[in-house]
Amino acid sequence: MAGSMCPPDLVLLQEKIASCELCPLSLSRNLTVPGSGPSEAEIMLVGEAPGREEDLKGLPFVGRAGRLLDEALDEAGLKREDVFITSVIKCRPPQNRKPNKKEIELCRPYLEDQMDTIRPRIICLMGNTAIQAVLGVVGVTVLRGQILSDRFLVTYHPAAVLRNRNLMADFVSDLREAKIQSLKLSKDALLNEE
């Protein structure tokens, strides 16, 4: 796992994901894609599922959508190495199809464990699959830019922005807002400690 020294529970979780055989996706994958980033990241980005490039490299968002994500992070004043990036599903669905309900249910505990272990201040849910898996609702176009339950910021999936570059400004704005809210929450936490 890229990033700072991983606590033992995050390393164990990564190993558990790597050996997972809970659903048929384990039969067709090359590599699992648990996620990457610092173990104490203030911001977590959650996408849908690994694609072809991710499946080959074992890293999240390394294909075309990943290059767009890097560009958007840069424009928002964030660095990839400062955020933890993962997906709802840790294995590539065949032909990059959307993960089905059963796959999401079986894989969701891994995502929940990542959120509990890393404890990011802000979690960007990128696209309807991530929103549905975590919050049980859909409607990225209606919910986009909103922060729900004090920590979940809803935004577009980078692949959607690739298909419609007109969404890029909003996507960057959402990532910038994640940074602002993360800094605000960090400052509030420090003030509460005093």
Side-chain angles (χ1 to χ4, degrees), residues 59-129:
L59 295 169
F61 287 95
V62 292
R64 288 178 57 226
R67 288 188 290 280
L68 182 134
L69 176 60
D70 290 344
E71 179 186 333
L73 286 168
D74 186 55
E75 286 186 42
L78 292 164
K79 294 182 178 145
R80 179 185 269 258
E81 57 268 17
D82 293 335
V83 297
F84 191 91
I85 305 172
T86 191
S87 296
V88 171
I89 300 295
K90 310 305 184 191
C91 297
R92 178 187 182 210
Q95 287 80 49
N96 288 347
R97 67 162 168 76
K98 280 190 169 297
N100 65 41
K101 187 176 179 182
K102 186 70 173 171
E103 292 161 351
I104 291 170
E105 285 174 12
L106 290 169
C107 220
R108 186 175 36 230
Y110 294 134
L111 177 60
E112 291 169 354
D113 287 348
Q114 287 175 317
M115 289 188 280
D116 290 344
T117 302
I118 296 165
R119 296 175 42 209
R121 297 194 188 278
I122 295 291
I123 300 171
C124 291
L125 301 175
M126 301 187 300
N128 276 321
T129 300

Side-chain angles (χ1 to χ4, degrees), residues 10-187:
L10 202 55
V11 171
L12 289 173
L13 181 57
Q14 182 181 359
E15 290 170 0
K16 197 170 166 184
I17 292 168
S19 63
C20 180
E21 295 179 352
L22 291 175
C23 78
L25 294 181
S26 65
L27 302 174
S28 59
R29 72 176 180 230
N30 285 300
L31 295 170
T32 58
V33 185
S36 67
S39 61
E40 296 179 0
E42 298 281 322
I43 298 171
M44 177 183 277
L45 307 178
V46 180
E48 179 176 291
R52 184 176 58 83
E53 293 295 317
E54 292 79 12
D55 178 60
L56 293 171
K57 294 180 179 170
L59 295 169
F61 287 95
V62 292
R64 288 178 57 226
R67 288 188 290 280
L68 182 134
L69 176 60
D70 290 344
E71 179 186 333
L73 286 168
D74 186 55
E75 286 186 42
L78 292 164
K79 294 182 178 145
R80 179 185 269 258
E81 57 268 17
D82 293 335
V83 297
F84 191 91
I85 305 172
T86 191
S87 296
V88 171
I89 300 295
K90 310 305 184 191
C91 297
R92 178 187 182 210
Q95 287 80 49
N96 288 347
R97 67 162 168 76
K98 280 190 169 297
N100 65 41
K101 187 176 179 182
K102 186 70 173 171
E103 292 161 351
I104 291 170
E105 285 174 12
L106 290 169
C107 220
R108 186 175 36 230
Y110 294 134
L111 177 60
E112 291 169 354
D113 287 348
Q114 287 175 317
M115 289 188 280
D116 290 344
T117 302
I118 296 165
R119 296 175 42 209
R121 297 194 188 278
I122 295 291
I123 300 171
C124 291
L125 301 175
M126 301 187 300
N128 276 321
T129 300
I131 299 163
Q132 173 72 40
V134 175
L135 300 176
V137 297
V138 291
V140 69
T141 53
V142 174
L143 299 172
R144 193 225 117 239
Q146 296 182 43
I147 296 178
L148 306 172
S149 302
D150 296 325
R151 79 187 287 213
F152 299 104
L153 189 143
V154 175
T155 191
Y156 299 116
H157 192 282
V161 180
L162 263 180
R163 291 188 299 271
N164 181 357
R165 290 296 289 215
N166 293 328
L167 303 176
M168 184 67 163
D170 286 340
F171 184 52
V172 170
S173 174
D174 293 341
L175 293 174
R176 194 174 290 126
E177 183 63 21
K179 179 182 177 182
I180 290 166
Q181 291 301 316
S182 170
L183 292 171
K184 180 184 177 298
L185 291 168
S186 292
K187 184 178 175 183

